[in-house]
Amino acid sequence: MTCKCCCSTRIRVIRRERLFSFCCVRFVSGQAGRWAVLSIGKLGASAGQLEYYERQVAAGAEDYYAGRGEVPGVWTGAGSEALGLAGGGRVARDGFMALMRGAHPLDGSVLRRMTERSKVAAIDLTFSAPKSVSVLFAVAGGGVSEALVDAHERAVAAAVGYLEREACFTRRGHAGAERVRAEGFVAAAYRHRLSRAGDPQLHTHVVVANLTRADGRFTALDARALFEHKSAAGAVYRSVLRAEVRERLPWVAWSRVGRGLFEIDGVPAELLRHFSQRRIEIERRAAELVGAGRALSREAMQTIALATRRPKTALEGEVWRDDARARAAEHGFGVAELQALITRPTAPHRRPVRSEVVCRLSGPDGLTGSHNTFARRHALAELAGEFVDGLGLRDLERATDGYLADASVRRLTPGDDGAVVFTTEGLLRSERAIVGSAERRREEPTAVVPQTILDDVLAGAGLNADQIAAVRALATGAQGVATVQALAGTGKTTMLRGIADAYARAGVTVFGAAPTARAARELRDAAGVGAGTLHALAGVLDRRGGFPRGSVLLLDEAGMAATRITARVFAHAERAGVKVIAVGDAGQLSSVEAGGWFAALTRTHPGPSLREVIRQRDPAERAALAALHDGEPERYVEHKAEAITLHASERDATAAVTDEWARLRAEHGPAGVVMIARDNATREQLNSTARARLRADGLLADAGVRIGGRDWTVGDRVIARRNDRRLDIDNGTTATITALAVDGRGVAVRTDAGHERVLDRGYVRDHLEHAYAITGHSSQGATVEAAIVVGRPEEFSREWAYTVLSRARGETTLHLIADHGADIAERSEYAPAPPAREPADMLDALARAMRRGGSERLAIERPPHPDTTGSLAHHLDPHPWPAQQLEPGSAARHSPRPARRPGAGHDLDIGR
């Protein structure tokens, strides 16, 4: 394994005991172009890192937390008070640095002994006000500014209080198995006025020491709890801020600008943009590199952010405010405009209609839209965004508890982790329908193929032993719902063709369906089955009254099928006595909507399985992938030691990956090799560098057309990103451009399956992308000769890792990136970048991630909590909704998705 972090040595030995050390956690920044309302960073605890912080943070010219011209830091948190650090008392530099070393800030006594294994000194929680609040705070002055600062500080205090109550834990027991509630945070809060670019940006750092007391002694915080509650704490800050601002400044009206995000109405958007100079600077530099409208990778944006970062300006007195007022006036927001805004009449108070909120949160697109269960913090975060004018924390908590007591919500028994979770009755009904149908039909003798016919079909089918056993079990089994667990590359489509042939010979009508149009097309093309998407099938069944009696439904890629739509299809199948054969792999990527039913059925009603992998030619590779699939990543990592390369940055990785891709492309052809990335930004960057390499090597013509901000030319590898029946193209289809329209109105492509298609300009502009690199979800179901996988170690969750690392028949290589990604670029305004990870840390993080499953169990696999009845006895506390709005309002009812236009099929025309 080549390490490019600091040397070029090879690392062959991976010690098992090192694979479970604490790994670095990435954080998610706010929306592009906006400051993250709450961002979280970690301050390192090693001797070298503490020296760095002492130089850069506590005493250096780039003094982030106690900069000249800012208000002094103050102690906060219940843990601080317990140490005799009075709440609101000033933080001294020596005391701050002592705390970072685990010592008492006043007397230097050891609170928590820091060792070489101590990775984190503190957690930096940075709360940043909406840009409109920061701008008004700067230009208004006087009572308005004081009111905004007071509201901001109260909102920060509420959010920190929420975190202290809900997320202050430590770990005890072997490997930290037991989570123990702790007594509070020891923290220092620093309020700042400006961004590094000198723009108004009201924000507060709450630096929480990585120590807390429980059972009479200090130990490290369980930082994972803070990250778990990050979204909820950010929502608390925003909600309380809006409410506090409204209370002090009744003329303020809030305008929604994004999910849960609001700005003060009347502060021009152009002005907010102008006062985001740092963002503008980064975007301009990015545009210079790749052109307007194109995305750079996270690491590239981080590099720009660090390269363009300027020393923080220390502006004393009112100079900074005078500067802000002058700039605002230049952009049409002078004294007159400000006066007109702050003298507006009291804005009407707005509250949501309770029935509408409950309908949305408990509906198919709500809290169980993409997950089977949710925690109280998720409900709180969603509810906070429903109250445009905000709510105080106490009222927000009451609203959350009221929603969780609604009849549409069911509390479940905690699992082994002790977490209290909820689900919705609507999702439970769908889960019960699927599992109940499978249970009721366990011995239903439907669609059984006579033995003589089956023997005749199998004699010439060319199937291996695994596939033959599966076909026999399915075609002769007396069960209405059957499952087949098929590992990647085991030839499940070949097996499905054998089943379809057997039923066709027996005179039984066979239908096919899959969650995606691409999978349905493969089922049609490779297995010879008339197939369409599950949504199309459900729509046709609803319109035509169901299946023909006694037929068979082959459901491919069942692990990706969503629960709600599957329940509709299963209900039709049971009514008509239709045999359902669901084939998939619970170890690969699952549904983006609430799902997991396939894995549940394979656990409770196990059927035949396909484990004889025929895709990978190397037996050792097959064995290592099987171990990874089964949750034993050490064997795979050890097997791939020579194929893992470590990189300090994404820039280094991009260059190395592109070089490797060019070599493999020459060996296997354009369609024989693919680069796979976890996110779209990295994919876009890899595609850009790949095309540049092809042009430099004379393998891709410079002449072409420019559509949708991208260049297209003959020979380009592309991927379709949307189903279009008119053009007969499916989302996820990979192809090669064969011709360009003379007038630039579109392109002609040949798909990898050999189909010719013509894509018009609108489709190319909106739904076509280059495909030298693709994401993991796009790769599922694909087979190539060679695959190059790039990402940060913590991105390799078990299902994602197994999916992307099992695509190639031959060579698969991994490129791991050490830097922490986009959070550094976002936080470069107000905090130092975290130090680079060591190679061993990256291996630890990789193995840890590969053990972390992303698939959810069904909600019904957790029984109802004994304290709940699920009846209408639970009623919603009317506060804080007005009484006159308690009756059902104009709640939007969720209807099934419209059926897709039918295409070719059997008697039941379900198309795609």
Side-chain angles (χ1 to χ4, degrees):
M1 174 169 53
T2 304
C3 171
K4 293 188 178 179
C5 288
C6 53
C7 61
S8 58
T9 58
R10 292 197 176 263
I11 303 170
R12 288 182 174 274
V13 180
I14 302 171
R15 298 200 301 264
R16 183 177 296 270
E17 64 270 18
R18 291 204 52 131
L19 292 176
F20 305 100
S21 67
F22 186 83
C23 71
C24 179
V25 182
R26 289 180 54 241
F27 345 106
V28 180
S29 298
Q31 291 188 342
R34 297 185 180 278
W35 277 60
V37 174
L38 169 57
S39 67
I40 304 181
K42 292 184 177 180
L43 308 187
S46 70
Q49 291 164 18
L50 285 177
E51 289 176 4
Y52 169 82
Y53 287 120
E54 185 167 23
R55 184 175 66 254
Q56 296 289 336
V57 176
E62 302 205 355
D63 189 347
Y64 294 91
Y65 298 125
R68 185 165 61 92
E70 304 290 0
V71 297
V74 295
W75 294 113
T76 188
S80 297
E81 295 182 3
L83 291 177
L85 304 170
R90 184 168 180 173
V91 177
R93 170 196 163 201
D94 291 345
F96 177 78
M97 291 312 302
L99 185 62
M100 294 301 97
R101 293 186 173 91
H104 196 298
L106 298 182
D107 59 24
S109 60
V110 175
L111 300 176
R112 175 198 168 208
R113 191 168 300 280
M114 309 286 275
T115 68
E116 292 184 358
R117 295 177 60 84
S118 301
K119 301 290 187 181
V120 179
I123 309 295
D124 177 8
L125 311 173
T126 302
F127 297 89
S128 188
K131 181 60 74 172
S132 58
V133 172
S134 295
V135 170
L136 281 182
F137 160 67
V139 303
V144 172
S145 293
E146 292 175 2
L148 293 173
V149 168
D150 189 39
H152 166 75
E153 293 199 331
R154 287 178 179 271
V156 170
V160 172
Y162 168 83
L163 285 172
E164 196 165 38
R165 187 174 65 255
E166 300 290 341
C168 186
F169 294 94
T170 186
R171 289 277 178 178
R172 297 285 169 81
H174 179 67
E178 182 185 2
R179 176 182 275 187
V180 178
R181 184 170 295 280
E183 297 175 13
F185 296 148
V186 182
Y190 300 84
R191 191 185 78 226
H192 288 188
R193 305 161 296 168
L194 303 172
S195 72
R196 183 167 299 280
D199 292 324
Q201 189 56 59
L202 181 62
H203 62 283
T204 296
H205 297 271
V206 180
V207 185
V208 181
N210 188 22
L211 55 84
T212 189
R213 188 166 59 185
D215 300 329
R217 64 187 177 94
F218 282 93
T219 50
L221 279 169
D222 178 12
R224 284 170 290 188
L226 292 172
F227 289 103
E228 288 170 356
H229 285 268
K230 173 181 177 289
S231 294
V236 167
Y237 167 80
R238 295 191 300 269
S239 177
V240 175
L241 177 71
R242 295 196 303 275
E244 294 286 346
V245 168
R246 280 276 306 186
E247 181 179 337
R248 289 160 179 76
L249 304 172
W251 50 265
V252 166
W254 292 97
S255 177
R256 191 185 302 272
V257 295
R259 183 178 177 183
L261 301 177
F262 300 82
E263 297 283 4
I264 295 177
D265 184 48
V267 183
E270 180 184 350
L271 184 64
L272 303 184
R273 172 73 176 169
H274 168 73
F275 278 120
S276 301
Q277 290 298 311
R278 180 76 175 130
R279 174 63 61 180
I280 295 173
E281 185 178 24
I282 294 173
E283 290 176 350
R284 284 175 177 168
R285 180 56 181 151
E288 291 174 4
L289 294 177
V290 298
R294 298 287 299 282
L296 273 178
S297 71
R298 296 174 300 183
E299 190 271 337
M301 293 297 286
Q302 167 199 327
T303 301
I304 293 172
L306 297 177
T308 58
R309 184 170 60 176
R310 65 190 74 170
K312 190 170 183 178
T313 303
L315 297 176
E316 302 290 356
E318 292 293 301
V319 175
W320 70 279
R321 199 182 297 277
D322 292 339
D323 176 72
R325 286 168 175 162
R327 291 167 60 188
E330 290 174 359
H331 286 76
F333 195 74
V335 174
E337 290 78 13
L338 173 62
Q339 189 66 19
L341 177 63
I342 65 178
T343 56
R344 291 189 308 194
T346 299
H349 205 67
R350 294 164 292 177
R351 292 291 178 104
V353 177
R354 190 194 71 182
S355 57
E356 294 180 353
V357 173
V358 172
C359 183
R360 186 183 74 79
L361 294 187
S362 296
D365 299 321
L367 287 163
T368 55
S370 57
H371 296 281
N372 297 336
T373 61
F374 59 92
R376 182 177 183 274
R377 64 181 182 271
H378 301 126
L380 182 145
E382 287 294 323
L383 274 167
E386 295 289 339
F387 291 86
V388 175
D389 293 325
L391 278 181
L393 179 56
R394 183 178 179 183
D395 285 344
L396 181 57
E397 299 266 15
R398 290 181 64 188
T400 302
D401 292 337
Y403 168 71
L404 295 177
D406 186 70
S408 65
V409 178
R410 177 64 65 90
R411 184 180 179 185
L412 304 176
T413 299
D416 295 337
D417 57 0
V420 177
V421 295
F422 304 84
T423 191
T424 58
E425 285 290 347
L427 180 63
L428 281 175
R429 283 194 296 271
S430 294
E431 291 184 350
R432 293 190 195 103
I434 293 173
V435 175
S437 180
E439 182 65 32
R440 289 189 296 272
R441 307 184 69 197
R442 290 189 68 172
E443 297 181 2
E444 183 179 306
T446 183
V448 176
V449 177
Q451 193 66 50
T452 55
I453 295 178
L454 185 59
D455 290 343
D456 188 42
V457 170
L458 292 177
L463 304 179
N464 62 28
D466 256 9
Q467 294 164 340
I468 289 174
V471 172
R472 285 193 180 278
L474 296 167
T476 61
Q479 55 199 47
V481 177
T483 63
V484 182
Q485 180 85 274
L487 271 63
T490 53
K492 67 178 175 62
T493 306
T494 302
M495 183 268 296
L496 285 171
R497 184 174 63 240
I499 294 174
D501 289 345
Y503 278 118
R505 193 81 62 87
V508 177
T509 301
V510 179
F511 299 98
T516 66
R518 184 180 66 169
R521 185 185 292 271
E522 182 179 354
L523 193 58
R524 292 198 303 272
D525 294 346
V529 176
T533 66
L534 268 174
H535 282 91
L537 174 60
V540 173
L541 293 172
D542 290 344
R543 291 196 305 272
R544 300 190 180 182
F547 285 102
R549 181 159 292 278
S551 51
V552 171
L553 173 64
L554 301 182
L555 176 52
D556 196 10
E557 297 289 358
M560 297 181 68
T563 295
R564 288 179 172 92
I565 193 66
T566 302
R568 287 171 58 193
V569 173
F570 270 41
H572 281 291
E574 184 171 4
R575 281 194 292 269
V578 170
K579 186 170 191 171
V580 178
I581 298 175
V583 184
D585 183 3
Q588 296 190 56
L589 293 173
S590 58
S591 170
V592 296
E593 300 176 47
W597 63 267
F598 177 74
L601 292 189
T602 61
R603 287 191 293 269
T604 58
H605 303 82
S609 62
L610 302 181
R611 295 190 64 90
E612 184 180 340
V613 177
I614 57 179
R615 178 179 293 159
Q616 285 77 35
R617 288 185 285 268
D618 180 7
E621 183 88 357
R622 295 197 294 266
L625 281 170
L628 175 61
H629 178 278
D630 295 339
E632 300 175 6
E634 298 91 345
R635 181 174 178 181
Y636 182 84
V637 175
E638 291 172 1
H639 167 71
K640 301 297 289 188
E642 293 295 328
I644 301 176
T645 307
L646 309 183
H647 303 275
S649 68
E650 192 167 312
R651 174 184 292 178
D652 294 342
T654 299
V657 166
T658 304
D659 289 343
E660 185 176 335
W661 167 82
R663 173 182 64 81
L664 292 171
R665 182 183 185 277
E667 182 178 349
H668 300 298
V673 58
V674 67
M675 298 175 283
I676 304 176
R678 183 62 190 255
D679 62 89
N680 286 317
T682 302
R683 174 192 57 79
E684 184 81 15
Q685 179 68 4
L686 288 170
N687 278 322
S688 178
T689 56
R691 296 188 80 252
R693 177 64 177 266
L694 290 175
R695 288 195 300 271
D697 293 344
L699 299 175
L700 193 66
D702 289 329
V705 296
R706 188 168 181 81
I707 302 174
R710 291 185 173 90
D711 295 319
W712 312 95
T713 192
V714 172
D716 259 329
R717 292 284 296 160
V718 295
I719 183 170
R721 301 307 302 150
R722 187 173 184 177
N723 299 328
D724 193 312
R725 299 190 179 285
R726 177 178 54 89
L727 301 176
D728 196 20
I729 195 78
D730 301 323
N731 180 17
T733 298
T734 50
T736 301
I737 294 180
T738 56
L740 306 174
V742 177
D743 55 4
R745 292 187 177 179
V747 302
V749 302
R750 179 181 297 112
T751 72
D752 290 353
H755 305 299
E756 303 289 340
R757 299 287 184 267
V758 176
L759 308 180
D760 59 35
R761 185 180 182 89
Y763 189 91
V764 174
R765 179 190 66 229
D766 298 331
H767 309 302
L768 197 66
E769 296 172 354
H770 294 114
Y772 305 102
I774 59 178
T775 61
H777 275 87
S778 295
S779 74
Q780 187 154 337
T783 300
V784 293
E785 278 297 318
I788 311 166
V789 182
V790 59
R792 291 166 179 78
E794 58 273 9
E795 295 174 336
F796 284 75
S797 63
R798 182 194 299 181
E799 293 83 4
W800 191 83
Y802 178 72
T803 299
V804 301
L805 297 173
S806 62
R807 295 304 99 199
R809 299 185 185 95
E811 184 175 354
T812 297
T813 57
L814 288 79
H815 292 258
L816 301 181
I817 304 168
D819 73 58
H820 302 297
D823 58 289
I824 298 177
E826 191 73 32
R827 287 180 54 81
S828 68
E829 280 300 279
Y830 44 75
R837 282 183 282 195
E838 297 297 325
D841 293 334
M842 296 175 67
L843 298 179
D844 290 349
L846 176 65
R848 183 186 180 95
M850 285 179 167
R851 281 190 171 274
R852 186 185 69 242
S855 297
E856 290 184 278
R857 286 181 173 260
L858 294 182
I860 59 173
E861 293 184 275
R862 287 190 178 188
H865 193 280
D867 292 341
T868 63
T869 64
S871 71
L872 294 178
H874 294 287
H875 57 85
L876 191 61
D877 183 345
H879 187 85
W881 283 280
Q884 65 269 23
Q885 293 183 347
L886 289 179
E887 294 301 319
S890 56
R893 299 300 172 186
H894 296 278
S895 58
R897 298 183 183 182
R900 303 172 187 265
R901 184 175 62 83
H906 289 284
D907 295 9
L908 190 64
D909 194 359
I910 59 174
R912 288 184 281 126

